[in-house]
Amino acid sequence: MVTENKSKIESHANHLARAWSDGEGVQPLTAVDPDLTIDEAYYVQLQTIQANVESGRKVTGKKIGLTSKAMQEMLGVGEPDYGHLTDDMEVNNRGEIPANRVLQPKVEGEIAFILKEDLVGPNVTSLDVLQATDAVVPALEIVDSRIKDWKITLADTVADNASSGLYLLGNNPKKITDIDLKQIGMAVYKNDTLQNTGVGAAALGDPAKCVAWLANKLAKYDITLKAGEVILSGALSAAIEAEPGDHFYVKFAELGEVSVTFTE
């Protein structure tokens, strides 16, 4: 971390943490600090993750966001972003999420990679990703924001751990050699009503390409993707708002299904 920015980084991390202590979203960081750079925003994220690890949480993987051209154009960027997953963020498949575990959640369907080998950037390819993957599973990511009303810029979402909330994984891992990641179809249901559909190629054309991007991006911060980690490779369709009482069911061709219920 850049020494002269250390106090600012810590202050911004504490600002985002207040969302949980107050039980509601906070002002965007870019409103507090209009000159916040993307690099500084990643250091805010790392500051938060470091504090979480020091409090006893364990990093279980990473998530990749902004993998669709539509989302990149909306935020005026040309590449994805990423966040960290920790053990307290995982929810059991077919489990429940009480209202006090989230602030303003939205649900996305994704393909998750389970690694069997480390991936060390900066020259990782999609083929390297396939060779390092033990299995893939269907996943639901519950994105959430500490920023009030989702009034985010790229720097805001990066600092806020890429708007990570919770995640859950399917129960039937598939070997990467048994499927075509680009062609896997997905259907998302909310309260038994079809909301949207997607396909593997929606994530940068190939979910493995997203994971390769992540490994190479992390090299800048001396971070390695570790064997055993879960990598959420990016949403295959638009995020859907969730309210207490909502039930989500997502079915993936060849990979199976995942579901979750939001409770009062």
Side-chain angles (χ1 to χ4, degrees):
M1 187 181 300
V2 182
T3 304
E4 59 265 30
N5 288 344
K6 191 172 189 297
S7 61
K8 179 169 86 165
I9 299 301
E10 291 177 346
S11 175
H12 288 344
N14 291 335
H15 173 80
L16 293 172
R18 278 196 290 275
W20 289 117
S21 57
D22 296 346
E24 61 181 3
V26 296
Q27 188 179 20
L29 278 180
T30 50
V32 176
D33 179 6
D35 297 323
L36 181 69
T37 67
I38 303 304
D39 201 44
E40 288 172 333
Y42 274 118
Y43 281 118
V44 173
Q45 178 186 141
L46 290 171
Q47 173 72 29
T48 299
I49 297 304
Q50 179 182 338
N52 290 345
V53 169
E54 289 173 353
S55 70
R57 299 174 190 171
K58 178 184 176 184
V59 173
T60 54
K62 310 290 187 295
K63 62 80 54 102
I64 307 167
L66 305 181
T67 53
S68 74
K69 289 299 180 185
M71 286 300 296
Q72 289 180 14
E73 289 171 2
M74 187 178 80
L75 289 180
V77 297
E79 67 174 14
D81 69 350
Y82 73 87
H84 289 68
L85 305 177
T86 51
D87 54 353
D88 61 315
M89 294 167 62
E90 185 170 5
V91 178
N92 290 332
N93 189 13
R94 297 183 289 277
E96 296 183 345
I97 299 174
N100 62 4
R101 284 195 72 181
V102 287
L103 292 170
Q104 40 192 352
K106 300 180 181 183
V107 175
E108 298 177 339
E110 310 191 14
I111 296 170
F113 289 66
I114 313 296
L115 300 181
K116 62 181 177 182
E117 299 172 7
D118 293 358
L119 282 170
V120 185
N123 298 307
V124 173
T125 67
S126 296
L127 180 58
D128 293 329
V129 171
L130 298 179
Q131 293 174 336
T133 298
D134 183 38
V136 290
V137 294
L140 281 185
E141 183 184 0
I142 292 84
V143 292
D144 203 356
S145 181
R146 270 52 65 180
I147 305 299
K148 188 175 182 180
D149 298 326
W150 284 92
K151 297 291 175 75
I152 57 173
T153 66
L154 178 62
D156 291 306
T157 187
V158 166
D160 190 25
N161 198 26
S163 302
S164 300
L166 306 168
Y167 71 98
L168 55 137
L169 305 176
N171 303 114
N172 299 302
K174 294 281 189 179
K175 291 297 180 184
I176 204 100
T177 52
D178 296 339
I179 53 177
D180 182 346
L181 290 171
K182 302 175 193 176
Q183 298 301 319
I184 290 175
M186 178 200 74
V188 183
Y189 295 83
K190 175 181 174 180
N191 303 326
D192 297 323
T193 301
L194 180 65
Q195 299 293 306
N196 57 39
T197 60
V199 66
L204 283 187
D206 180 356
K209 181 180 177 182
C210 299
V211 180
W213 171 87
L214 174 64
N216 295 329
K217 182 73 173 181
L218 288 172
K220 179 178 180 180
Y221 303 96
D222 296 320
I223 299 173
T224 297
L225 296 180
K226 303 286 190 182
E229 285 193 338
V230 174
I231 313 298
L232 302 182
S233 60
L236 303 186
S237 61
I240 303 165
E241 291 187 10
E243 299 285 348
D246 285 341
H247 174 75
F248 286 84
Y249 168 84
V250 184
K251 187 170 184 176
F252 293 76
E254 302 183 70
L255 289 181
E257 56 201 51
V258 280
S259 66
V260 70
T261 301
F262 290 80
T263 60
E264 298 290 346

